Amino acid sequence: ERNDRVVINLTTGMGATFVPDPADEALAHPTTDVASAVERVGHVLENRPELCTLDVTTMNLEGGIAGAPDCIFMNTPGTLNRMAQLIREGGVKPEIEVFNPGDILLARRMIEQGLIDPTPLFQICLGVKWSAPADAKTLIYMKELLPEGASWSAFGISRWQMDIVALSTILGGHCRVGLEDNIYLERGVFATNGQLVERASRIIADLGCEVATPDEARGILGLDALAEKRLAG
């Protein structure tokens, strides 16, 4: 209602949670949620957004919430290859989410294999427990692993959110903020998405940069060229 030019990015992260049965980890716990590549991208192919996520990672996640067992966020190379192919055929650009350095190496192989177009968009995800830490050394290292010509963004979860906004901006990247990654403005004070965006925008402006409009973002991320290709197809 307020701005029909916003860029929409849909997730494909659901359907990737394998929960081993604590009594026998060779078996799946009833709370396991593992779906096929077709199921995980079905809504993307139906709605055809400009962007959708592609989590090129497998990692351990601790349980503990309401007695939930430990689990694995599981994205095998075979499933990722099939998802990437479907996303490409649908004319949607994947936002490649990477949580560890090796994830970038796997994504680079997928680009080399033609499963992802050679002008990729990476999201460097930092601070998630048992994955890459949210600090300058890690961000610089992971940035250096990205393929030449890649667009990239980064975020830090929880208390590191605004730190990574500043670091990413200084290093020439983009940034992500929002309640998915952090729910506080400060200790004990809950945030809104709008407040987090406003704070990030101030940091970006204070560092001498500007926040892109949706149409400027389309040009930066190559979405205009992708739209033309979709129309031609």
Side-chain angles (χ1 to χ4, degrees):
E1 293 177 353
R2 301 226 4 221
N3 184 355
D4 62 5
R5 295 298 297 163
V6 295
V7 177
I8 293 176
N9 181 353
L10 296 182
T11 183
T12 65
M14 63 289 175
T17 306
F18 177 75
V19 184
D21 190 322
D24 183 355
E25 292 199 339
L27 303 176
H29 188 269
T31 57
T32 287
D33 175 27
V34 175
S36 69
V38 172
E39 291 173 313
R40 292 179 63 184
V41 302
H43 61 297
V44 173
L45 301 181
E46 179 181 353
N47 292 287
R48 302 285 294 276
E50 292 174 281
L51 289 170
C52 73
T53 66
L54 184 64
D55 294 293
V56 182
T57 192
T58 291
M59 59 184 175
N60 288 308
L61 298 173
E62 276 193 333
I65 300 175
D70 297 339
C71 61
I72 301 166
F73 186 56
M74 185 176 70
N75 296 283
T76 64
T79 294
L80 288 170
N81 289 346
R82 289 188 288 274
M83 290 175 68
Q85 185 65 39
L86 290 166
I87 291 167
R88 192 172 190 275
E89 291 172 356
V92 179
K93 188 180 187 77
E95 176 210 13
I96 306 165
E97 297 204 350
V98 291
F99 295 75
N100 289 294
D103 300 342
I104 298 174
L105 303 184
L106 176 55
R108 290 183 64 146
R109 188 183 73 172
M110 295 171 69
I111 295 166
E112 292 165 1
Q113 293 174 332
L115 295 164
I116 298 172
D117 287 338
T119 54
L121 167 61
F122 281 82
Q123 181 73 253
I124 300 174
C125 313
L126 301 175
V128 177
K129 196 171 186 179
W130 312 134
S131 292
D135 57 39
K137 183 177 180 179
T138 301
L139 180 56
I140 291 169
Y141 175 56
M142 292 181 70
K143 172 185 177 294
E144 291 175 347
L145 291 176
L146 298 174
E148 186 175 353
S151 295
W152 66 278
S153 175
F155 73 84
I157 68 163
S158 189
R159 65 182 182 272
W160 298 293
Q161 187 168 78
M162 297 303 162
D163 295 10
I164 299 301
V165 168
L167 283 169
S168 180
T169 302
I170 290 167
L171 292 171
H174 308 293
C175 64
R176 158 177 151 176
V177 295
L179 295 176
E180 180 179 354
D181 308 319
N182 166 47
I183 62 173
Y184 294 106
L185 271 180
E186 56 190 68
R187 183 180 292 274
V189 180
F190 288 112
T192 66
N193 272 319
Q195 290 171 324
L196 295 172
V197 170
E198 288 169 355
R199 179 167 291 182
S201 298
R202 287 197 300 272
I203 292 170
I204 292 166
D206 287 345
L207 291 170
C209 298
E210 296 180 9
V211 177
T213 66
D215 286 333
E216 288 170 340
R218 287 183 172 89
I220 292 168
L221 302 178
L223 300 179
D224 288 335
L226 186 62
E228 291 175 4
K229 187 184 298 185
R230 283 165 58 164
L231 288 172

